[in-house]
Amino acid sequence: MQEDDADSTQLAQQLRHLRHLRQANEVARRAMEAGHHPFGALLVAPDGETVLLEQANVDSVNHAEAVLARRAAAQYTPEYLWGCTLVTTAEPCAMCAGTQYWAHIGKLVYGMSEQRLLQLTGNHAENPTLDLPCREVFARGQKAMQVWGPVVEAEEEIAALHRDFWRER
């Protein structure tokens, strides 16, 4: 019986992650329509359901995840943020992972890996991808960050925005 409960809890978590990734991808779509790079991020409350903040990409220095983490740190206590989840369409770069770490947001869900993003953008001047997985950045710190990703069920939806965007630039 406990195994069934664990399986249903894990399934519920996976469905929440997918739902939030799709919402973040909608934020990314709006960013793209506004002329920005197609990245989107959410801050989800410790209840795993409530979306506290949304953030689209601003520019090449103000990535969705970093801007969201700074906004979150200004609005919430570190203790509260430790139970929150940053949900983002693409794996955070080193800058964004570091900002999440310092903001004390303890959990991360991302849809598409940095490697997959690099495959889509190539050597594009507007997105000189760093080949440094966020798990490696977090592993160098003193906090036990929880990371889920890439989420295969959302990856193609997220990649579709990037494929179209970078091809047309």
Side-chain angles (χ1 to χ4, degrees), residues 6-161:
D7 289 345
S8 65
T9 300
Q10 185 176 9
L11 179 60
Q13 181 183 55
Q14 289 171 341
L15 292 173
R16 278 194 308 272
H17 289 173
L18 188 57
R19 185 175 70 250
H20 288 129
L21 281 167
R22 287 183 171 141
Q23 185 176 346
N25 203 39
E26 184 53 37
V27 172
R29 181 182 314 284
R30 291 193 308 264
M32 183 177 69
E33 290 169 356
H36 302 287
H37 298 166
F39 297 95
L42 310 174
L43 180 68
V44 178
D47 67 7
E49 292 290 340
T50 307
V51 175
L52 301 169
L53 297 170
E54 290 185 351
Q55 182 63 55
N57 210 66
V58 178
D59 56 36
S60 293
V61 175
N62 293 290
H63 297 178
E65 302 90 346
V67 172
L68 182 136
R70 287 190 296 272
R71 288 176 56 206
Q75 289 183 258
Y76 301 101
T77 67
E79 296 77 21
Y80 183 76
L81 287 173
W82 187 248
C84 291
T85 305
L86 192 154
V87 177
T88 183
T89 53
E91 181 176 8
C93 70
M95 173 183 69
C96 293
T99 306
Q100 177 183 351
Y101 178 87
W102 288 110
H104 208 63
I105 301 169
K107 300 173 187 150
L108 170 68
V109 174
Y110 66 88
M112 183 174 62
S113 72
E114 186 86 356
Q115 281 291 318
R116 180 74 191 275
L117 179 62
L118 179 59
Q119 291 170 1
L120 295 169
T121 62
N123 190 22
H124 199 286
E126 292 180 36
N127 193 46
T129 303
L130 287 168
D131 186 12
L132 181 58
C134 67
R135 283 178 173 89
E136 288 185 34
V137 174
F138 294 144
R140 303 297 178 136
Q142 299 176 30
K143 302 174 189 177
M145 308 289 285
Q146 295 180 43
V147 180
W148 294 270
V151 176
V152 176
E153 297 84 358
E155 190 172 354
E156 188 50 42
E157 296 168 46
I158 294 166
L161 281 185

